Amino acid sequence: MSTVSRTALALAALSALALTACGPTGDDAAGGTGTPSATATATAAPSPSGSASPAKSATPTAKPTKPGKPAPGASAPTDPDFDVFPCSTFDVTFTASLAEPTTSSYLLKITNKGTKACRVLGHPVVTFGALDGQATERGTAPGIEDAIRLEPGKSAYAGLMGGAADGTGKTVDSIAMTMNTESDLAQTPLKASTPGLHVSSTKNSVTPWMDNAEDALSL
């Protein structure tokens, strides 16, 4: 082979090699790994300030639950008398009956005329007709914790001690009574007839309210 022929063959081989190196590979022609693919990853939208806003969570926020109702009686007061108020003259009826003619002593009686219970506190406040002053307290009244609970229609009693007609006092035909409420509640006095009650400044006294007539007259 001549020198010219060998030179021509060498140039042809070099040209083919150059075309193979510059042309697309099989993967490139078929859209293989050589071609960058588009990524479907979503990016956060920019906020007006230029920073990316955080992506919203796919999990919904749980709504706050309402507090459950307390179990029945869970917070009920333990004292059964917590809402029972002291009796006043607006809550009761009042009578006085002669108990001992010799001393002109009377049994005082109140009856709950309402629809709710009330507490009977201390001694009755007794005044004598148009005379000034009131009966003194005889005996010790129970504390408020032990006071009589007067249910509707039930009664409580007190004994009013009169005095002998010895010329040192006056006789009255009626008395007026108000209740001890341990407050400044204005009450309308309840009146009762007491024919021949002798009022003495040193001898007239009244017992605390009691739940039976016998105790009220024996104190």
Side-chain angles (χ1 to χ4, degrees):
M1 183 180 291
S2 65
T3 303
V4 175
S5 298
R6 288 196 295 271
T7 301
L9 289 173
L11 290 174
L14 289 173
S15 297
L17 180 62
L19 289 173
T20 302
C22 294
T25 64
D27 290 339
D28 291 338
T33 57
T35 303
S37 59
T39 303
T41 304
T43 58
S47 65
S49 60
S51 59
S53 300
K56 293 183 178 180
S57 172
T59 304
T61 304
K63 295 182 179 180
T65 58
K66 294 182 180 179
K69 294 182 179 180
S75 60
T78 56
D79 181 5
D81 292 335
F82 79 100
D83 61 346
V84 179
F85 297 98
C87 301
S88 75
T89 56
F90 300 108
D91 304 309
V92 299
T93 58
F94 173 59
T95 61
S97 55
L98 184 62
E100 177 53 58
T102 304
T103 59
S104 66
S105 297
Y106 281 80
L107 176 67
L108 311 183
K109 176 183 177 182
I110 56 171
T111 302
N112 185 348
K113 67 178 181 179
T115 58
K116 294 180 62 177
C118 60
R119 294 177 189 257
V120 182
L121 303 183
H123 296 69
V125 180
V126 178
T127 55
F128 305 100
L131 299 181
D132 293 333
Q134 64 187 50
T136 60
E137 296 180 353
R138 183 170 81 254
T140 303
I144 189 170
E145 298 84 2
D146 300 317
I148 298 171
R149 178 188 174 107
L150 199 63
E151 299 290 345
K154 298 299 183 180
S155 300
Y157 308 86
L160 176 63
M161 178 68 71
D166 56 6
T168 61
K170 294 184 177 180
T171 300
V172 297
D173 293 329
S174 67
I175 59 174
M177 185 277 299
T178 56
M179 302 289 293
N180 178 2
T181 62
E182 294 190 352
S183 71
D184 57 358
L185 174 69
Q187 301 178 67
T188 300
L190 300 179
K191 296 182 178 181
S193 176
T194 54
L197 174 62
H198 188 73
V199 178
S200 171
S201 60
T202 59
K203 295 181 179 179
N204 295 108
S205 60
V206 66
T207 71
W209 293 110
M210 300 185 181
D211 58 7
N212 66 87
E214 184 178 355
D215 288 346
L217 293 174
S218 62
L219 182 62

